Amino acid sequence: QVQLVESGGGLVQPGGSLRLSCAASGIISTINAMGWYRQAPGRQRELVASVTIRGATNYAESVRGRFTISRDNGKWTVVLQMNSLKPEDTGVYYCNAKRGWLPESWGQGTQVTVSS
């Protein structure tokens, strides 16, 4: 099993920045990728950004150039740096860990609100 603990999030004005962090514990050797998803009210959960065990990153087109995902070498602590935030970035952000054929893990979610 893998447990994910998220931190960060909150309320920020448009154009501001926030930093989300997610720390994995448990059998982290089974993780091959981690990422952040978000879900806005009335919408499906969508991938925001992800990073693989080899360091390859992937971003949603809507956040490319504004968000940066990174992880500690040798650990599965993943940080999502969000800059130039827009109201449409508002939602609940969930940390996710993929483990190949094993069940994926999800964090509890953290609220991000971008509003003036």
Side-chain angles (χ1 to χ4, degrees), residues 39-63:
Q39 187 165 19
R43 300 189 65 177
Q44 288 189 332
R45 192 173 296 188
E46 62 176 356
L47 174 68
V48 176
S50 63
V51 58
T52 72
I53 192 171
R54 296 185 181 276
T57 56
N58 183 42
Y59 296 93
E61 191 60 38
S62 60
V63 307

Side-chain angles (χ1 to χ4, degrees), residues 3-7 21-25 34 36 78 95 106-108:
Q3 295 78 42
L4 303 176
V5 177
E6 302 152 341
S7 60
S21 181
C22 177
S25 62
M34 283 184 68
W36 288 93
V78 176
C95 183
W106 291 93
Q108 77 279 6

Side-chain angles (χ1 to χ4, degrees), residues 6-14 16-21 36 67 80 82 85-94 108-116:
E6 302 152 341
S7 60
L11 173 64
V12 66
Q13 292 187 342
S17 297
L18 282 175
R19 180 183 172 97
L20 304 182
S21 181
W36 288 93
F67 291 11
L80 183 68
M82 305 185 293
L85 283 160
K86 304 175 181 181
E88 51 264 43
D89 294 318
T90 294
V92 180
Y93 283 66
Y94 297 91
Q108 77 279 6
T110 185
Q111 178 69 44
V112 171
T113 302
V114 185
S115 175
S116 54

